Amino acid sequence: MRDNGRILLAHGAGGRLTHELIESLFLRRFENKSLAALDDSAEIALPDSDPARAARIAFTTDGYVVQPIEFPGGDIGRIAVCGTVNDLAMLGARPLGLSAAMILEEGLEREILDRIVGSMAAAAREAKVDLVTGDTKVVERGAATRMYIVTSGVGLIPPGVSLSGRNARPGDAVLVSGTLGDHGVTVMNAREGLGFEGDLRSDAAPLNGMVENMLSETDGVHTLRDLTRGGLGTALNEIAGASGIRIDIDEAAIPVRSSVQAGCQMLGIDPLYVANEGKLVAFVEDRCAHAVLTAMRSHPLGRDAVRIGTVSAGEPSVVVHTPIGGARRLLMLDGDPLPRIC
Amino acid sequence: MRDNGRILLAHGAGGRLTHELIESLFLRRFENKSLAALDDSAEIALPDSDPARAARIAFTTDGYVVQPIEFPGGDIGRIAVCGTVNDLAMLGARPLGLSAAMILEEGLEREILDRIVGSMAAAAREAKVDLVTGDTKVVERGAATRMYIVTSGVGLIPPGVSLSGRNARPGDAVLVSGTLGDHGVTVMNAREGLGFEGDLRSDAAPLNGMVENMLSETDGVHTLRDLTRGGLGTALNEIAGASGIRIDIDEAAIPVRSSVQAGCQMLGIDPLYVANEGKLVAFVEDRCAHAVLTAMRSHPLGRDAVRIGTVSAGEPSVVVHTPIGGARRLLMLDGDPLPRIC
């Protein structure tokens, strides 16, 4: 895909072009260890006279431009809060506080804004975190689509916890916390009026409670990543690259609702690249896989958790094994099959 | 001003309507001490076995939608970095890390984006802080005006430092760090092609270095506020309300460049309400006023620092004394004389 020196929608899709943009533009300008790690959150050690005692905080930000702003199972406010809580949780951090910067379109109905803000407050209560600071800007009619929200979050990383996309190792089990693709297909259905019936609902939810359970069971968790923009396919490729590992996935083990499967077929997209807002992938030592799965399944948000694959040494790559014995490389996505899904 | 249940540009102006929106919408939904303080940053105490030893962090966020995105003396990237560093500095915090969430319009030239990101990196170097995490979203052509940036920041509040808009006290001296209105009039001139000549330049700059100097001189600094959206007039009204004090200002003492004065006269606006991006107001104990002023003036960004007024007990209010002996109440601004200035 050629960009002729201009920004394309695909630069925001979370796939190959997003990575290329981040590397050529941001990593070149801002050289520091936290940013270069490209994890869901940055880790910052507080200065302390005793470095071993230094508190470590996680810090993250995400913009939300989803259209429509309300959809079954959630809205832009809910995913803004959940997404940021989840990014903190992926470093094992307990949230200390959230911020919200709202960019509102002139003429937005206050009633709708009130509903969205109420949804943010409800999601923050679920995650047991306070929204402690914010900002509101208004742009002229047409200069935004109803509203955009940017949430940021600060969390405390417990002593001894060290999770990163660079930490996955040969032998690790690959676990997912539940069905894939629900959020993205739900938003597409709502936006395009595709008319899919049934149980389509966004899975937007704060995962920090489930992650606390997982981490309290074992010290064998190496990597967590929430499966937002770009879906499982992008997350696995990022981790394979960052950790220098090969990941083999059993396609038949990946949980996808039949309604989501049907929606993906009609849209001509692969559920492995569709955004989720309440699902994660975990890389854990094989000996701990059972205990971590049990911890996930004992939490309402991890009822459908399963093992889907295994890590081995080898050229960084993701290989999917199909039920009929085939194998295919799962690549980073090039374009943007589902724009403005989060 | 009636809103008929819809969001107006003035809701984002930082004046009375912004406050009304924050109170009716956000404070009602999110009840917590940090948010209710309405300071430039939220203060969060980290959990610690010894509460007296607990580290305190400052956390802040701000959205930037300025038009045009480049103007004399700065650009949207520079004010995004400086504004967030300054919000941390207003609690006396030393910046630990910044985040940036970019919302880009499809079709934006990469060359321009590269220049803005380079400007952000330069401002971060000036402030001696790293940009440690970020996010990029792209919206369709027309759904944003070139680009919006939301920056957030985390800082460490040194032990013993406690600054807040609620801490100003009768007897305090009121100091400003330099000339007012430069940023807002420069952006209006660039956007509307008003053709003012001369020394009009945005004052966008990171104030954390100067604030460190001020705080190292004395423990008599009670309140700092940077004079962004809404200008000095709004900041003084906020502090008068939060601290329950009367503030008397000597209009003749307020430093305004003649070019800014001329621009304001032509635009029919009061420089006291015009946004700055590198100026602060300080409330300090009278006995320390000289030492703090000296510390400010010894820093390049505080060369023109002066005392402009005094705090007394009384009904929360701001009274401006004119050179010819008159006095007028300075009220919170109602509408938005200068939309999208930051």
Side-chain angles (χ1 to χ4, degrees), chain B residues 195-281:
Chain B
F196 303 149
E197 301 288 335
D199 60 352
L200 278 183
R201 283 177 70 77
S202 169
D203 59 349
L207 294 170
N208 53 323
M210 185 182 74
V211 169
E212 274 201 47
N213 291 359
M214 292 165 68
L215 296 179
S216 69
E217 276 310 306
T218 155
D219 60 356
V221 180
H222 295 152
T223 301
L224 298 177
R225 182 134 322 179
D226 64 333
L227 303 173
T228 54
R229 191 171 46 160
L232 178 70
T234 302
L236 293 180
N237 271 286
E238 287 172 350
I239 294 164
S243 292
I245 51 163
R246 171 184 163 129
I247 303 171
D248 286 273
I249 297 294
D250 173 11
E251 190 171 46
I254 299 172
V256 180
R257 281 181 211 282
S258 56
S259 54
V260 170
Q261 193 83 60
C264 284
Q265 273 165 8
M266 196 177 285
L267 289 162
I269 53 177
D270 185 336
L272 297 189
Y273 292 111
V274 175
N276 311 272
E277 292 292 342
K279 299 287 155 48
L280 59 79
V281 64

Side-chain angles (χ1 to χ4, degrees), chain B residues 133-189:
Chain B
T133 190
D135 183 53
T136 305
K137 293 288 189 300
V138 182
V139 295
E140 301 85 349
R141 213 176 271 267
T145 328
R146 318 301 292 280
M147 60 190 304
Y148 304 145
I149 303 178
V150 173
T151 40
S152 303
V154 182
L156 188 67
I157 303 172
V161 171
S162 178
L163 305 177
S164 168
R166 293 162 299 177
N167 292 359
R169 296 181 214 158
D172 279 358
V174 183
L175 318 176
V176 295
S177 63
T179 57
L180 298 187
D182 301 63
H183 173 74
V185 172
T186 300
V187 171
M188 285 304 284
N189 188 33

Side-chain angles (χ1 to χ4, degrees), chain B residues 20-235:
Chain B
E20 181 267 322
L21 186 71
I22 289 170
E23 275 165 29
S24 68
L25 212 62
F26 294 97
L27 294 190
R28 187 168 64 82
R29 295 284 193 177
F30 299 101
E31 288 176 37
N32 65 76
K33 225 175 53 186
S34 300
L35 188 62
L38 290 180
D39 278 318
D40 286 324
S41 295
E43 180 177 322
I44 302 173
L46 298 193
D48 198 292
S49 50
D50 175 5
R53 206 184 170 285
R56 292 173 303 145
I57 59 175
F59 179 36
T60 189
T61 194
D62 262 310
Y64 294 86
V65 298
V66 64
Q67 286 299 316
I69 58 175
E70 299 181 288
F71 41 81
D75 55 49
I76 189 171
R78 181 168 176 83
I79 64 172
V81 166
C82 295
T84 291
V85 166
N86 292 348
D87 279 346
L88 295 175
M90 297 308 109
L91 282 196
R94 295 184 186 137
L96 290 168
L98 301 184
S99 70
M102 323 284 284
I103 296 175
L104 307 178
E105 183 188 13
E106 180 188 15
L108 176 71
E109 299 85 344
R110 281 185 73 134
E111 189 187 330
I112 293 177
L113 179 58
D114 191 46
R115 208 153 60 217
I116 301 290
V117 172
S119 168
M120 296 177 77
R125 278 193 299 274
E126 273 175 65
K128 298 188 173 66
V129 60
D130 280 334
L131 189 143
V132 296
T133 190
D135 183 53
T136 305
K137 293 288 189 300
V138 182
V139 295
E140 301 85 349
R141 213 176 271 267
T145 328
R146 318 301 292 280
M147 60 190 304
Y148 304 145
I149 303 178
V150 173
T151 40
S152 303
V154 182
L156 188 67
I157 303 172
V161 171
S162 178
L163 305 177
S164 168
R166 293 162 299 177
N167 292 359
R169 296 181 214 158
D172 279 358
V174 183
L175 318 176
V176 295
S177 63
T179 57
L180 298 187
D182 301 63
H183 173 74
V185 172
T186 300
V187 171
M188 285 304 284
N189 188 33
R191 182 163 76 213
E192 310 297 340
L194 301 177
F196 303 149
E197 301 288 335
D199 60 352
L200 278 183
R201 283 177 70 77
S202 169
D203 59 349
L207 294 170
N208 53 323
M210 185 182 74
V211 169
E212 274 201 47
N213 291 359
M214 292 165 68
L215 296 179
S216 69
E217 276 310 306
T218 155
D219 60 356
V221 180
H222 295 152
T223 301
L224 298 177
R225 182 134 322 179
D226 64 333
L227 303 173
T228 54
R229 191 171 46 160
L232 178 70
T234 302

